[in-house]
Amino acid sequence: MSENKIDNNCLSFCQPSEVDLQKRDFLVKATAATGAVGVAAVAVPFVGSMLPSERAKAAGAPVEVDISKLKPGEKMTAEWRGQPVWIVRRTPEMLDKLVKHDDQLSDPNLEVPQQPEYCKNKDRSIKPEFGVMLGTCTHLGCSPNDNFAMTADWDGGFVCPCHGSKFDLAGRVFKGSPAPKNLLVPPHQYLTDTTLLIGDDKKAEA
Ligand code: FES
């Protein structure tokens, strides 16, 4: 019988040779090792994805803002969690106007929780002089423009360039605007008279 032909008599009765046994051991070990590498390769990125990166932690961290150079009647913009936060230094005249147009507003009494409890007051602020609010329209997220010049029909505020929503200098939305809610007031507190911390309000809440 040639070596390439199957010996039918041997299919069920022949014992594996020493060489066959060595080959089988080698294949079993090689397969087990490949499986272990595969598990390790999958496990590393999974564990890695559960740990917040330094960049992600920094992106959600509170932001300190120096407001010492902000003049009365001006606005500055900080960035917190990738969003613009406006700080408006309101003059006494601006603050006077805030209480004169409640009847034109959608939510003058702040019933929709768009501000922390400590800002649920007529100025929507901790210190009346400084208004702090997210510069993102509550309709579809455009950034409203400043329109601080007062006229007989306008007490100063913001107008959204996308669909015309109007907000006053406390970020309260006027009736008839497509925006359904007032601008959001983020959590914040004052670390000093001229340093604002946005994104953390433990002291303000206490
Ligand atoms: S996004 Fe501001 S009015 Fe539509």
Side-chain angles (χ1 to χ4, degrees):
M1 187 179 67
S2 81
E3 283 184 7
N4 292 332
K5 287 189 181 167
I6 297 172
D7 182 352
N8 286 329
N9 292 328
C10 208
L11 279 176
S12 51
F13 303 115
C14 289
Q15 295 300 315
S17 68
E18 185 60 27
V19 173
D20 289 339
L21 288 171
Q22 284 174 0
K23 275 188 195 166
R24 189 180 65 190
D25 284 353
F26 172 77
L27 286 171
V28 167
K29 284 175 187 162
T31 305
T34 306
V37 169
V39 168
V42 170
V44 168
F46 178 69
V47 171
S49 72
M50 292 193 298
L51 301 172
S53 70
E54 288 305 311
R55 188 189 293 178
K57 279 192 277 185
V63 175
E64 269 186 43
V65 184
D66 176 4
I67 56 172
S68 62
K69 299 200 169 49
L70 187 60
K71 296 195 176 80
E74 288 185 352
K75 183 192 90 178
M76 65 182 287
T77 304
E79 186 182 331
W80 173 64
R81 294 188 171 176
Q83 303 199 69
V85 179
W86 294 339
I87 301 126
V88 187
R89 187 167 179 185
R90 298 174 293 207
T91 62
E93 188 188 8
M94 287 170 159
L95 289 169
D96 283 349
K97 294 282 186 187
L98 277 184
V99 293
K100 302 251 166 76
H101 52 237
D102 278 8
D103 58 330
Q104 300 170 44
L105 302 172
S106 296
D107 181 17
N109 299 319
L110 314 179
E111 276 153 25
V112 180
Q114 284 288 92
Q115 57 283 310
E117 274 302 308
Y118 49 81
C119 289
K120 202 170 173 188
N121 51 49
K122 67 182 174 56
D123 311 306
R124 295 184 85 212
S125 61
I126 297 173
K127 298 183 182 191
E129 190 177 3
F130 294 103
V132 179
M133 62 203 88
L134 239 57
T136 304
C137 182
T138 55
H139 182 219
L140 294 176
C142 293
S143 188
N145 295 323
D146 303 349
N147 189 346
F148 292 178
M150 296 180 190
T151 67
D153 304 321
W154 179 247
D155 293 339
F158 309 94
V159 180
C160 185
C162 292
H163 312 97
S165 288
K166 293 179 182 160
F167 303 88
D168 72 3
L169 287 166
R172 297 177 300 175
V173 67
F174 282 91
K175 286 177 189 166
S177 298
K181 296 177 189 171
N182 297 332
L183 298 180
L184 194 77
V185 176
H188 63 281
Q189 62 180 293
Y190 290 87
L191 299 179
T192 68
D193 279 351
T194 56
T195 307
L196 187 62
L197 185 68
I198 298 167
D200 183 309
D201 56 6
K202 288 188 187 75
K203 192 172 133 201
E205 273 185 331

